[in-house]
Amino acid sequence: MSYLDDVGVRKEFFLRLEQKFDKVGQDGAPYSVHKLVNRNGVKAMFYRYSSSEDITVQEKDCILVKATVKEHRVYKEEPETYLNRVVLLKNVGSK
């Protein structure tokens, strides 16, 4: 199975946002699920992110993030890297 990196590694990742789902938690607080893929087709996901600038992200945008690999998961029989402590560094847009 292929993942972005080993669990616990914190570094920069260049990813494309495939899908974003807006949800409401059991406590009524809104959150989003971000589904991403890298250039090699390796899938990743995260919930929340922060940014030092006011950067917006839309589906199909390519983004540079700094994040920690929190967990290796399998979703719909596909390996998926769960990222946390995600900081959006740059949005380079879509092609």
Side-chain angles (χ1 to χ4, degrees):
M1 291 192 175
S2 186
Y3 297 98
L4 289 179
D5 215 314
D6 295 329
V7 172
V9 170
R10 180 162 181 81
K11 69 179 196 179
E12 292 182 1
F13 298 99
F14 186 75
L15 305 164
R16 183 177 71 218
L17 179 62
E18 292 292 304
Q19 294 177 303
K20 178 183 170 189
F21 304 100
D22 294 321
K23 304 272 189 178
V24 177
Q26 292 179 345
D27 61 357
Y31 69 97
S32 297
V33 178
H34 300 82
K35 298 285 191 169
L36 308 106
V37 65
N38 75 358
R39 290 180 173 135
N40 298 320
V42 178
K43 296 180 179 182
M45 66 85 59
F46 62 82
Y47 294 107
R48 293 181 175 88
Y49 67 88
S50 63
S51 176
S52 60
E53 300 174 26
D54 187 21
I55 303 173
T56 59
V57 180
Q58 297 178 8
E59 289 185 358
K60 306 305 178 197
D61 282 353
C62 292
I63 58 174
L64 180 66
V65 300
K66 185 168 187 176
T68 301
V69 176
K70 177 68 176 175
E71 191 176 286
H72 292 161
R73 298 177 174 178
V74 176
Y75 179 73
K76 293 187 178 179
E77 300 182 21
E78 298 260 345
E80 181 177 73
T81 305
Y82 170 52
L83 302 172
N84 75 343
R85 298 177 57 215
V86 177
V87 178
L88 181 57
L89 301 174
K90 186 177 185 180
N91 182 347
V92 297
S94 61
K95 290 186 177 182

